[in-house]
Amino acid sequence: KNTKLGLGALALAISGFFAFSTFQSGTIKGTVTPPEGAKEVWAVSATDTLKAPITNGTFEISNAKAGTYKVMVDAQDPYKDAVKDGVQVADGQPTDVGEIKLEK
């Protein structure tokens, strides 16, 4: 009888741990050159689509779940859109994609 009670308490403790574990969102940040070449950036994963403005050539996309993203810069004429594949985001961690150069 003590074994059943012990296993039940263990199962309850484990389920409580998972039920109350918190999601720590990550961020994706970077720069775009030339800074006037684009106004917004998108991050797309298998389960998420996020968007952020580009201000003075910099961006930061928040609330990114852990996973692999495709970062897309929506360029303005005469520049072409830019894509960066395989951007890895970890829970609660910032991911810097560096500089994304727009081409004409």
Side-chain angles (χ1 to χ4, degrees):
K1 191 170 185 174
N2 283 342
T3 304
K4 287 183 182 179
L5 181 60
L7 290 177
L10 178 62
L12 183 60
I14 290 172
S15 67
F17 172 76
F18 287 111
F20 296 107
S21 63
T22 57
F23 161 69
Q24 298 269 335
S25 65
T27 58
I28 301 169
K29 61 182 181 174
T31 60
V32 175
T33 55
E36 71 280 359
K39 296 223 186 253
E40 61 186 10
V41 62
W42 296 80
V44 179
S45 74
T47 60
D48 223 357
T49 299
L50 305 167
K51 175 176 82 165
I54 299 171
T55 307
N56 298 323
T58 64
F59 65 88
E60 185 167 321
I61 301 169
S62 55
N63 297 321
K65 298 175 186 169
T68 304
Y69 287 80
K70 178 186 289 191
V71 175
M72 299 177 291
V73 177
D74 190 11
Q76 300 183 127
D77 287 336
Y79 299 100
K80 296 178 184 175
D81 294 349
V83 176
K84 191 163 225 175
D85 284 314
V87 175
Q88 295 291 325
V89 174
D91 277 346
Q93 299 296 314
T95 301
D96 191 339
V97 298
E99 180 183 24
I100 299 174
K101 294 182 181 182
L102 301 177
E103 297 179 10
K104 288 186 178 182

Coordinates of all heavy atoms in Angstrom, one line a residue:
K1 N 0.8 -1.2 0.0 CA 0.0 0.0 0.0 C 0.9 1.3 0.0 O 0.6 2.2 -0.7 CB -0.9 0.0 1.2 CG -2.0 1.0 1.1 CD -3.0 0.8 2.2 CE -4.1 1.8 2.0 NZ -5.2 1.6 2.9
N2 N 2.0 1.2 0.7 CA 2.9 2.4 0.7 C 3.5 2.7 -0.6 O 3.7 3.8 -1.0 CB 4.0 2.2 1.8 CG 3.5 2.4 3.2 OD1 2.5 3.0 3.4 ND2 4.3 1.9 4.1
T3 N 3.7 1.6 -1.4 CA 4.3 1.8 -2.7 C 3.3 2.5 -3.7 O 3.7 3.4 -4.4 CB 4.6 0.4 -3.4 OG1 5.5 -0.3 -2.5 CG2 5.3 0.5 -4.7
K4 N 2.0 2.1 -3.6 CA 1.0 2.8 -4.4 C 0.9 4.3 -4.0 O 0.8 5.1 -4.9 CB -0.4 2.1 -4.3 CG -0.5 0.8 -4.9 CD -1.8 0.2 -4.8 CE -1.9 -1.1 -5.5 NZ -3.2 -1.7 -5.3
L5 N 0.9 4.6 -2.7 CA 0.8 5.9 -2.3 C 2.1 6.7 -2.7 O 2.0 7.8 -3.2 CB 0.7 6.0 -0.8 CG 0.6 7.4 -0.2 CD1 -0.7 8.1 -0.7 CD2 0.5 7.3 1.3
G6 N 3.3 6.1 -2.6 CA 4.5 6.7 -3.1 C 4.5 7.0 -4.5 O 4.9 8.1 -5.0
L7 N 4.1 6.1 -5.4 CA 4.1 6.3 -6.8 C 3.0 7.3 -7.2 O 3.3 8.2 -8.1 CB 3.7 5.0 -7.5 CG 4.8 3.9 -7.5 CD1 4.4 2.6 -8.2 CD2 6.1 4.4 -8.2
G8 N 1.9 7.4 -6.5 CA 0.9 8.4 -6.7 C 1.4 9.8 -6.4 O 1.2 10.7 -7.2
A9 N 2.1 9.9 -5.3 CA 2.7 11.2 -4.9 C 3.7 11.6 -5.9 O 3.8 12.8 -6.3 CB 3.3 11.1 -3.5
L10 N 4.5 10.7 -6.4 CA 5.6 11.0 -7.4 C 4.9 11.5 -8.7 O 5.3 12.4 -9.3 CB 6.5 9.8 -7.6 CG 7.6 10.0 -8.7 CD1 8.5 11.1 -8.3 CD2 8.3 8.7 -8.9
A11 N 3.9 10.8 -9.2 CA 3.2 11.1 -10.4 C 2.6 12.5 -10.3 O 2.7 13.3 -11.2 CB 2.1 10.1 -10.7
L12 N 2.0 12.8 -9.1 CA 1.4 14.1 -8.9 C 2.5 15.2 -8.9 O 2.3 16.3 -9.5 CB 0.7 14.1 -7.5 CG -0.1 15.4 -7.2 CD1 -1.2 15.7 -8.3 CD2 -0.7 15.3 -5.8
A13 N 3.6 15.0 -8.3 CA 4.7 15.9 -8.3 C 5.2 16.2 -9.7 O 5.5 17.3 -10.0 CB 5.8 15.4 -7.3
I14 N 5.4 15.1 -10.5 CA 5.9 15.3 -11.8 C 4.9 16.1 -12.7 O 5.3 17.0 -13.4 CB 6.2 13.9 -12.4 CG1 7.5 13.3 -11.7 CG2 6.5 14.1 -13.9 CD1 7.8 11.9 -12.1
S15 N 3.6 15.7 -12.6 CA 2.6 16.4 -13.4 C 2.5 17.9 -13.0 O 2.3 18.8 -13.8 CB 1.3 15.7 -13.3 OG 0.7 15.8 -12.0
G16 N 2.7 18.2 -11.7 CA 2.7 19.5 -11.2 C 3.8 20.3 -11.7 O 3.7 21.5 -12.1
F17 N 5.0 19.7 -11.8 CA 6.2 20.3 -12.4 C 6.0 20.8 -13.8 O 6.3 21.9 -14.2 CB 7.4 19.4 -12.3 CG 8.6 19.9 -13.0 CD1 9.4 20.9 -12.4 CD2 9.0 19.4 -14.2 CE1 10.5 21.4 -13.0 CE2 10.1 19.9 -14.9 CZ 10.9 20.9 -14.3
F18 N 5.4 19.9 -14.6 CA 5.2 20.2 -16.0 C 4.1 21.2 -16.2 O 4.1 22.0 -17.1 CB 4.9 18.9 -16.9 CG 6.2 18.1 -17.1 CD1 6.3 16.9 -16.5 CD2 7.2 18.6 -17.8 CE1 7.5 16.2 -16.7 CE2 8.4 17.9 -18.0 CZ 8.5 16.7 -17.4
A19 N 3.1 21.1 -15.4 CA 1.9 22.0 -15.5 C 2.3 23.5 -15.2 O 1.8 24.4 -15.7 CB 0.8 21.6 -14.6
F20 N 3.3 23.6 -14.3 CA 3.6 25.0 -13.8 C 5.0 25.4 -14.4 O 5.5 26.5 -14.0 CB 3.7 25.0 -12.3 CG 2.3 24.8 -11.7 CD1 2.0 23.7 -11.1 CD2 1.3 25.8 -11.9 CE1 0.7 23.5 -10.5 CE2 0.0 25.6 -11.3 CZ -0.2 24.5 -10.7
S21 N 5.6 24.7 -15.3 CA 6.9 25.1 -15.9 C 6.5 26.3 -16.8 O 5.5 26.3 -17.5 CB 7.6 24.0 -16.6 OG 6.8 23.5 -17.7
T22 N 7.4 27.3 -16.8 CA 7.1 28.5 -17.6 C 7.8 28.5 -18.9 O 9.0 28.0 -19.0 CB 7.4 29.8 -16.8 OG1 8.8 29.7 -16.4 CG2 6.5 29.9 -15.6
F23 N 7.2 29.1 -19.9 CA 7.8 29.2 -21.2 C 8.6 30.5 -21.2 O 8.1 31.6 -20.9 CB 6.7 29.3 -22.3 CG 7.1 29.9 -23.6 CD1 8.0 29.2 -24.4 CD2 6.6 31.1 -24.0 CE1 8.4 29.8 -25.6 CE2 7.0 31.6 -25.2 CZ 7.9 31.0 -26.0
Q24 N 9.9 30.4 -21.5 CA 10.8 31.6 -21.6 C 10.9 31.9 -23.1 O 11.6 31.2 -23.8 CB 12.1 31.3 -21.0 CG 12.1 31.0 -19.5 CD 12.2 32.2 -18.7 OE1 12.8 33.2 -19.1 NE2 11.7 32.2 -17.5
S25 N 10.4 33.0 -23.5 CA 10.5 33.3 -25.0 C 11.9 33.9 -25.3 O 12.5 34.5 -24.4 CB 9.4 34.3 -25.4 OG 9.6 35.6 -24.7
G26 N 12.3 33.6 -26.5 CA 13.6 34.2 -27.0 C 13.3 35.4 -27.9 O 12.2 35.8 -28.1
T27 N 14.4 36.0 -28.3 CA 14.3 37.1 -29.2 C 15.3 36.9 -30.4 O 16.2 36.1 -30.3 CB 14.7 38.4 -28.5 OG1 16.0 38.3 -28.0 CG2 13.8 38.8 -27.4
I28 N 14.9 37.5 -31.5 CA 15.7 37.5 -32.7 C 16.0 38.9 -33.0 O 15.1 39.7 -33.2 CB 15.0 36.8 -33.9 CG1 14.6 35.4 -33.5 CG2 15.9 36.8 -35.1 CD1 13.7 34.7 -34.5
K29 N 17.3 39.3 -33.1 CA 17.6 40.7 -33.4 C 18.7 40.7 -34.5 O 19.4 39.8 -34.7 CB 18.1 41.4 -32.1 CG 19.3 40.8 -31.5 CD 19.6 41.6 -30.2 CE 20.9 41.0 -29.6 NZ 21.3 41.8 -28.4
G30 N 18.8 41.9 -35.0 CA 19.8 42.1 -36.1 C 19.8 43.5 -36.6 O 19.0 44.4 -36.1
T31 N 20.5 43.7 -37.7 CA 20.5 45.0 -38.4 C 20.3 44.8 -39.9 O 20.6 43.7 -40.4 CB 21.9 45.8 -38.2 OG1 22.9 45.0 -38.7 CG2 22.1 46.1 -36.7
V32 N 19.8 45.8 -40.5 CA 19.6 45.8 -42.0 C 20.3 47.0 -42.6 O 20.2 48.1 -42.1 CB 18.1 45.9 -42.3 CG1 17.8 46.0 -43.8 CG2 17.3 44.7 -41.7
T33 N 21.1 46.8 -43.6 CA 21.7 47.9 -44.3 C 21.3 47.8 -45.8 O 21.3 46.7 -46.4 CB 23.3 47.8 -44.2 OG1 23.7 46.6 -44.6 CG2 23.7 48.1 -42.8
P34 N 21.0 48.9 -46.4 CA 20.9 50.2 -45.8 C 19.7 50.4 -44.9 O 18.7 49.7 -45.2 CB 20.9 51.2 -47.0 CG 20.3 50.4 -48.1 CD 20.7 49.0 -47.8
P35 N 19.8 51.2 -43.9 CA 18.7 51.3 -42.9 C 17.4 51.7 -43.5 O 16.3 51.3 -43.0 CB 19.2 52.2 -41.8 CG 20.4 52.8 -42.4 CD 20.9 52.0 -43.5
E36 N 17.4 52.5 -44.6 CA 16.1 53.0 -45.2 C 15.6 52.0 -46.2 O 14.5 52.2 -46.7 CB 16.4 54.3 -45.9 CG 17.2 54.3 -47.1 CD 18.7 54.2 -46.9 OE1 19.2 54.2 -45.8 OE2 19.4 54.1 -47.9
G37 N 16.2 50.8 -46.3 CA 15.8 49.9 -47.4 C 14.6 49.0 -47.0 O 14.1 48.3 -47.9
A38 N 14.2 49.0 -45.7 CA 13.1 48.1 -45.3 C 12.5 48.6 -44.1 O 13.1 49.4 -43.3 CB 13.6 46.7 -45.0
K39 N 11.2 48.3 -43.9 CA 10.4 48.8 -42.7 C 10.0 47.7 -41.8 O 9.7 48.0 -40.6 CB 9.2 49.5 -43.2 CG 9.5 50.7 -44.0 CD 8.6 51.8 -43.6 CE 8.8 53.0 -44.5 NZ 9.4 54.1 -43.9
E40 N 10.0 46.4 -42.2 CA 9.6 45.3 -41.3 C 10.3 44.0 -41.6 O 10.8 43.8 -42.7 CB 8.1 45.1 -41.2 CG 7.4 44.8 -42.5 CD 5.9 44.7 -42.3 OE1 5.4 45.2 -41.3 OE2 5.2 44.3 -43.2
V41 N 10.4 43.2 -40.6 CA 11.0 41.9 -40.7 C 10.1 40.8 -40.2 O 9.3 41.1 -39.2 CB 12.4 41.9 -40.0 CG1 12.2 42.1 -38.5 CG2 13.2 40.6 -40.2
W42 N 10.1 39.6 -40.8 CA 9.3 38.5 -40.3 C 10.2 37.3 -39.9 O 11.3 37.1 -40.5 CB 8.4 38.0 -41.5 CG 7.4 39.0 -42.0 CD1 7.7 40.1 -42.8 CD2 6.1 39.0 -41.7 NE1 6.5 40.8 -43.0 CE2 5.5 40.1 -42.4 CE3 5.2 38.2 -40.9 CZ2 4.2 40.5 -42.3 CZ3 3.9 38.6 -40.8 CH2 3.4 39.7 -41.5
A43 N 9.7 36.6 -38.9 CA 10.4 35.3 -38.5 C 9.3 34.2 -38.6 O 8.3 34.3 -38.0 CB 10.9 35.4 -37.1
V44 N 9.6 33.2 -39.4 CA 8.6 32.1 -39.6 C 9.2 30.8 -39.2 O 10.3 30.4 -39.6 CB 8.2 32.1 -41.1 CG1 7.2 31.0 -41.3 CG2 7.6 33.4 -41.5
S45 N 8.5 30.0 -38.4 CA 8.9 28.7 -38.0 C 7.8 27.7 -38.4 O 6.8 28.2 -39.0 CB 9.2 28.5 -36.5 OG 8.0 28.6 -35.8
A46 N 7.9 26.5 -38.1 CA 6.9 25.5 -38.4 C 5.6 25.8 -37.7 O 4.5 25.4 -38.1 CB 7.4 24.1 -38.1
T47 N 5.7 26.5 -36.5 CA 4.5 26.7 -35.7 C 4.2 28.2 -35.4 O 3.3 28.5 -34.7 CB 4.6 26.0 -34.3 OG1 5.8 26.4 -33.7 CG2 4.7 24.5 -34.5
D48 N 5.1 29.1 -35.9 CA 5.0 30.5 -35.4 C 5.3 31.4 -36.6 O 6.2 31.1 -37.4 CB 6.0 30.7 -34.3 CG 5.4 31.5 -33.2 OD1 4.3 32.0 -33.3 OD2 6.2 31.7 -32.2
T49 N 4.6 32.6 -36.6 CA 4.9 33.6 -37.5 C 4.9 34.9 -36.7 O 3.9 35.3 -36.1 CB 3.9 33.7 -38.7 OG1 3.9 32.5 -39.4 CG2 4.2 34.9 -39.6
L50 N 6.1 35.6 -36.7 CA 6.2 36.8 -35.9 C 6.7 38.0 -36.8 O 7.3 37.7 -37.8 CB 7.3 36.6 -34.8 CG 7.0 35.4 -33.9 CD1 8.2 35.1 -33.1 CD2 5.8 35.7 -33.0
K51 N 6.4 39.2 -36.4 CA 6.7 40.4 -37.2 C 7.2 41.5 -36.3 O 6.7 41.6 -35.2 CB 5.5 40.8 -38.0 CG 5.6 42.1 -38.8 CD 4.4 42.4 -39.6 CE 3.3 43.1 -38.8 NZ 2.3 43.7 -39.6
A52 N 8.2 42.3 -36.8 CA 8.6 43.5 -36.0 C 9.0 44.6 -37.0 O 9.4 44.3 -38.1 CB 9.8 43.1 -35.1
P53 N 9.0 45.8 -36.5 CA 9.4 46.9 -37.3 C 10.9 47.0 -37.4 O 11.6 46.5 -36.4 CB 8.8 48.1 -36.6 CG 8.7 47.7 -35.2 CD 8.4 46.2 -35.2
I54 N 11.4 47.6 -38.4 CA 12.9 47.9 -38.5 C 13.0 49.4 -38.3 O 12.4 50.2 -39.0 CB 13.4 47.5 -39.9 CG1 13.3 46.0 -40.1 CG2 14.9 48.0 -40.0 CD1 13.6 45.6 -41.5
T55 N 13.7 49.8 -37.2 CA 13.8 51.2 -36.9 C 15.3 51.6 -36.9 O 16.1 51.0 -36.2 CB 13.3 51.5 -35.4 OG1 11.9 51.0 -35.4 CG2 13.3 52.9 -35.1
N56 N 15.6 52.6 -37.7 CA 17.0 53.0 -37.8 C 18.0 51.9 -38.2 O 19.1 51.8 -37.7 CB 17.5 53.7 -36.6 CG 16.7 55.0 -36.3 OD1 16.3 55.7 -37.3 ND2 16.5 55.3 -35.1
G57 N 17.5 50.9 -38.9 CA 18.3 49.8 -39.4 C 18.4 48.6 -38.4 O 19.1 47.7 -38.7
T58 N 17.7 48.7 -37.3 CA 17.8 47.6 -36.3 C 16.4 47.0 -36.0 O 15.4 47.7 -36.2 CB 18.4 48.0 -34.9 OG1 17.5 49.0 -34.4 CG2 19.8 48.6 -35.1
F59 N 16.4 45.7 -35.7 CA 15.1 45.1 -35.3 C 15.3 44.1 -34.2 O 16.4 43.6 -33.9 CB 14.5 44.4 -36.5 CG 15.3 43.2 -37.0 CD1 15.2 41.9 -36.5 CD2 16.3 43.4 -38.0 CE1 15.9 40.9 -37.0 CE2 17.0 42.3 -38.5 CZ 16.8 41.1 -38.0
E60 N 14.2 43.9 -33.5 CA 14.2 42.8 -32.4 C 12.8 42.2 -32.4 O 11.8 42.9 -32.2 CB 14.5 43.4 -31.1 CG 14.6 42.3 -30.0 CD 15.2 42.8 -28.7 OE1 16.2 43.6 -28.8 OE2 14.7 42.4 -27.7
I61 N 12.8 40.9 -32.7 CA 11.5 40.2 -32.7 C 11.4 39.5 -31.4 O 12.3 38.6 -31.0 CB 11.5 39.2 -33.9 CG1 11.6 39.9 -35.2 CG2 10.2 38.3 -33.8 CD1 11.9 39.0 -36.4
S62 N 10.4 39.7 -30.6 CA 10.3 39.1 -29.3 C 9.2 38.0 -29.3 O 8.5 37.8 -30.3 CB 9.9 40.2 -28.2 OG 8.8 40.9 -28.6
N63 N 9.1 37.3 -28.2 CA 8.1 36.2 -28.0 C 8.4 35.0 -29.0 O 7.4 34.3 -29.4 CB 6.7 36.7 -28.2 CG 6.4 37.7 -27.1 OD1 6.8 37.5 -25.9 ND2 5.6 38.7 -27.5
A64 N 9.6 34.8 -29.3 CA 10.0 33.7 -30.2 C 10.1 32.4 -29.4 O 10.9 32.4 -28.4 CB 11.2 33.9 -31.0
K65 N 9.4 31.4 -29.8 CA 9.5 30.1 -29.1 C 10.8 29.4 -29.6 O 11.3 29.7 -30.7 CB 8.3 29.2 -29.4 CG 7.0 29.7 -29.0 CD 5.8 28.9 -29.4 CE 4.5 29.5 -29.1 NZ 3.4 28.8 -29.7
A66 N 11.3 28.5 -28.8 CA 12.5 27.8 -29.2 C 12.2 27.0 -30.5 O 11.1 26.5 -30.7 CB 12.9 26.8 -28.1
G67 N 13.2 27.0 -31.4 CA 13.0 26.4 -32.7 C 13.9 27.0 -33.8 O 14.7 27.8 -33.5
T68 N 13.6 26.6 -35.0 CA 14.4 27.1 -36.2 C 13.5 28.0 -37.0 O 12.3 27.6 -37.3 CB 14.8 25.9 -37.1 OG1 15.6 25.0 -36.3 CG2 15.7 26.4 -38.2
Y69 N 14.0 29.1 -37.3 CA 13.2 30.2 -38.0 C 13.9 30.6 -39.3 O 15.1 30.4 -39.5 CB 13.1 31.4 -37.2 CG 12.2 31.3 -36.0 CD1 12.6 30.7 -34.8 CD2 10.9 31.8 -36.0 CE1 11.7 30.6 -33.7 CE2 10.0 31.7 -35.0 CZ 10.5 31.1 -33.8 OH 9.6 31.0 -32.7
K70 N 13.0 31.1 -40.2 CA 13.4 31.7 -41.4 C 13.1 33.2 -41.2 O 12.0 33.6 -40.9 CB 12.7 31.2 -42.6 CG 13.0 31.9 -43.9 CD 12.1 31.5 -45.1 CE 12.5 30.0 -45.5 NZ 11.9 29.6 -46.7
V71 N 14.2 34.1 -41.3 CA 14.0 35.5 -41.1 C 14.0 36.1 -42.4 O 14.9 36.0 -43.3 CB 15.2 36.1 -40.2 CG1 15.1 37.6 -40.1 CG2 15.2 35.4 -38.8
M72 N 12.9 36.9 -42.7 CA 12.7 37.5 -44.0 C 12.5 39.0 -43.8 O 11.7 39.5 -43.0 CB 11.4 37.0 -44.6 CG 11.5 35.5 -44.9 SD 10.0 34.7 -45.6 CE 8.9 34.9 -44.2
V73 N 13.3 39.8 -44.6 CA 13.3 41.2 -44.6 C 12.4 41.7 -45.8 O 12.8 41.3 -46.9 CB 14.7 41.9 -44.6 CG1 14.6 43.4 -44.7 CG2 15.5 41.4 -43.4
D74 N 11.4 42.4 -45.5 CA 10.5 42.9 -46.6 C 11.0 44.2 -47.0 O 10.8 45.3 -46.4 CB 9.1 43.1 -46.0 CG 8.0 43.3 -47.0 OD1 8.3 43.2 -48.2 OD2 6.9 43.7 -46.6
A75 N 11.8 44.2 -48.1 CA 12.5 45.4 -48.6 C 11.6 46.3 -49.4 O 10.5 45.9 -49.9 CB 13.7 45.0 -49.5
Q76 N 12.0 47.6 -49.5 CA 11.3 48.6 -50.3 C 12.1 48.8 -51.6 O 13.3 48.6 -51.6 CB 11.3 49.9 -49.5 CG 10.5 49.8 -48.2 CD 10.4 51.1 -47.5 OE1 9.3 51.5 -47.2 NE2 11.5 51.8 -47.3
D77 N 11.4 49.1 -52.7 CA 12.1 49.4 -53.9 C 13.1 50.5 -53.7 O 12.9 51.5 -53.0 CB 11.1 49.9 -55.0 CG 10.2 48.7 -55.5 OD1 10.7 47.6 -55.4 OD2 9.1 49.0 -56.0
P78 N 14.3 50.4 -54.3 CA 14.7 49.5 -55.4 C 15.4 48.2 -54.8 O 16.0 47.5 -55.6 CB 15.7 50.3 -56.2 CG 16.4 51.2 -55.1 CD 15.3 51.5 -54.1
Y79 N 15.3 48.0 -53.5 CA 16.0 46.8 -52.9 C 15.2 45.5 -53.0 O 13.9 45.6 -53.2 CB 16.3 47.1 -51.5 CG 17.2 48.3 -51.3 CD1 16.7 49.6 -51.0 CD2 18.5 48.2 -51.5 CE1 17.5 50.7 -50.8 CE2 19.4 49.3 -51.4 CZ 18.8 50.5 -51.1 OH 19.7 51.6 -51.0
K80 N 15.9 44.4 -53.0 CA 15.2 43.1 -53.0 C 15.1 42.5 -51.6 O 15.9 42.8 -50.7 CB 16.1 42.1 -53.8 CG 16.3 42.5 -55.3 CD 17.2 41.6 -56.0 CE 17.4 42.0 -57.4 NZ 18.3 41.2 -58.1
D81 N 14.0 41.8 -51.4 CA 13.8 41.1 -50.1 C 15.0 40.2 -49.8 O 15.6 39.7 -50.7 CB 12.5 40.2 -50.2 CG 11.2 41.1 -50.3 OD1 11.3 42.3 -50.2 OD2 10.2 40.4 -50.6
A82 N 15.2 40.0 -48.5 CA 16.3 39.2 -48.1 C 15.8 38.1 -47.1 O 14.9 38.3 -46.4 CB 17.4 40.0 -47.4
V83 N 16.5 36.9 -47.2 CA 16.0 35.8 -46.4 C 17.3 35.2 -45.7 O 18.3 35.0 -46.3 CB 15.3 34.7 -47.2 CG1 15.0 33.5 -46.3 CG2 14.1 35.3 -47.8
K84 N 17.1 34.9 -44.4 CA 18.2 34.2 -43.7 C 17.6 32.9 -43.1 O 16.7 33.0 -42.3 CB 18.8 35.1 -42.6 CG 20.0 34.5 -42.0 CD 20.8 35.6 -41.2 CE 22.2 35.5 -41.6 NZ 23.0 36.6 -41.1
D85 N 18.0 31.7 -43.6 CA 17.4 30.4 -43.2 C 18.2 29.9 -42.0 O 19.4 30.2 -41.7 CB 17.5 29.4 -44.3 CG 16.5 29.7 -45.4 OD1 15.3 29.9 -45.0 OD2 16.8 29.6 -46.6
G86 N 17.6 29.0 -41.3 CA 18.2 28.2 -40.2 C 18.6 29.0 -39.0 O 19.6 28.6 -38.3
V87 N 17.8 30.0 -38.6 CA 18.1 30.8 -37.4 C 17.6 30.0 -36.2 O 16.4 29.7 -36.1 CB 17.4 32.2 -37.5 CG1 17.6 32.9 -36.2 CG2 18.0 32.9 -38.7
Q88 N 18.5 29.6 -35.3 CA 18.1 28.8 -34.1 C 17.8 29.7 -32.9 O 18.6 30.6 -32.6 CB 19.3 27.9 -33.8 CG 19.6 26.8 -34.8 CD 18.5 25.8 -34.9 OE1 17.9 25.4 -33.9 NE2 18.3 25.3 -36.1
V89 N 16.7 29.5 -32.3 CA 16.3 30.2 -31.1 C 16.1 29.2 -30.0 O 15.5 28.2 -30.1 CB 14.9 31.0 -31.3 CG1 14.5 31.6 -30.0 CG2 15.1 32.0 -32.4
A90 N 16.7 29.6 -28.8 CA 16.6 28.8 -27.6 C 15.8 29.5 -26.6 O 15.7 30.8 -26.6 CB 18.0 28.5 -27.0
D91 N 15.1 28.8 -25.7 CA 14.2 29.4 -24.7 C 15.0 30.5 -23.9 O 16.0 30.2 -23.4 CB 13.7 28.3 -23.7 CG 12.5 27.6 -24.2 OD1 11.9 28.1 -25.2 OD2 12.1 26.5 -23.7
G92 N 14.4 31.6 -23.8 CA 14.9 32.7 -23.0 C 16.2 33.3 -23.4 O 16.8 34.1 -22.7
Q93 N 16.7 33.0 -24.6 CA 17.9 33.5 -25.1 C 17.8 34.4 -26.3 O 17.0 34.2 -27.2 CB 18.8 32.3 -25.5 CG 19.2 31.3 -24.4 CD 20.0 32.0 -23.3 OE1 20.9 32.7 -23.6 NE2 19.5 31.8 -22.1
P94 N 18.6 35.5 -26.4 CA 18.6 36.3 -27.6 C 19.4 35.7 -28.7 O 20.4 35.0 -28.4 CB 19.3 37.6 -27.1 CG 20.2 37.2 -26.0 CD 19.5 36.0 -25.3
T95 N 19.0 35.8 -29.9 CA 19.7 35.3 -31.1 C 20.0 36.5 -32.0 O 19.0 37.1 -32.4 CB 18.8 34.2 -31.8 OG1 18.5 33.2 -30.9 CG2 19.5 33.7 -33.0
D96 N 21.2 36.7 -32.2 CA 21.7 37.8 -33.1 C 22.0 37.3 -34.4 O 22.9 36.5 -34.6 CB 22.8 38.6 -32.5 CG 23.2 39.9 -33.1 OD1 22.7 40.1 -34.3 OD2 23.8 40.7 -32.5
V97 N 21.2 37.7 -35.5 CA 21.5 37.2 -36.8 C 22.5 38.1 -37.5 O 22.9 37.8 -38.7 CB 20.2 37.2 -37.7 CG1 19.2 36.2 -37.1 CG2 19.5 38.5 -37.8
G98 N 23.0 39.2 -36.9 CA 24.0 40.0 -37.4 C 23.4 41.0 -38.5 O 22.2 41.4 -38.4
E99 N 24.2 41.3 -39.4 CA 23.8 42.3 -40.5 C 23.2 41.6 -41.7 O 23.8 40.6 -42.2 CB 25.1 43.1 -40.9 CG 24.8 44.1 -42.0 CD 26.0 44.9 -42.4 OE1 27.1 44.3 -42.3 OE2 25.8 46.0 -43.0
I100 N 22.1 42.1 -42.1 CA 21.5 41.6 -43.3 C 21.6 42.7 -44.4 O 21.0 43.8 -44.2 CB 20.0 41.2 -43.1 CG1 19.9 40.1 -42.1 CG2 19.3 40.8 -44.4 CD1 18.5 39.7 -41.7
K101 N 22.4 42.4 -45.4 CA 22.6 43.5 -46.5 C 21.6 43.3 -47.6 O 21.4 42.2 -48.1 CB 24.0 43.3 -47.0 CG 25.1 43.7 -46.0 CD 26.4 43.6 -46.7 CE 27.5 43.9 -45.7 NZ 28.9 43.9 -46.2
L102 N 20.9 44.4 -47.9 CA 19.9 44.4 -49.0 C 20.6 44.7 -50.3 O 21.5 45.6 -50.3 CB 18.8 45.4 -48.7 CG 18.0 45.2 -47.4 CD1 17.0 46.3 -47.3 CD2 17.3 43.8 -47.4
E103 N 20.2 44.0 -51.3 CA 20.8 44.3 -52.7 C 19.7 44.9 -53.6 O 18.5 44.7 -53.4 CB 21.3 42.9 -53.3 CG 22.4 42.3 -52.5 CD 22.8 41.0 -53.1 OE1 22.4 40.7 -54.2 OE2 23.6 40.3 -52.4
K104 N 20.2 45.6 -54.6 CA 19.3 46.3 -55.5 C 19.0 45.3 -56.7 O 19.7 44.5 -57.0 CB 19.9 47.6 -56.1 CG 19.9 48.7 -55.0 CD 20.4 50.0 -55.6 CE 20.4 51.1 -54.6 NZ 20.8 52.3 -55.2

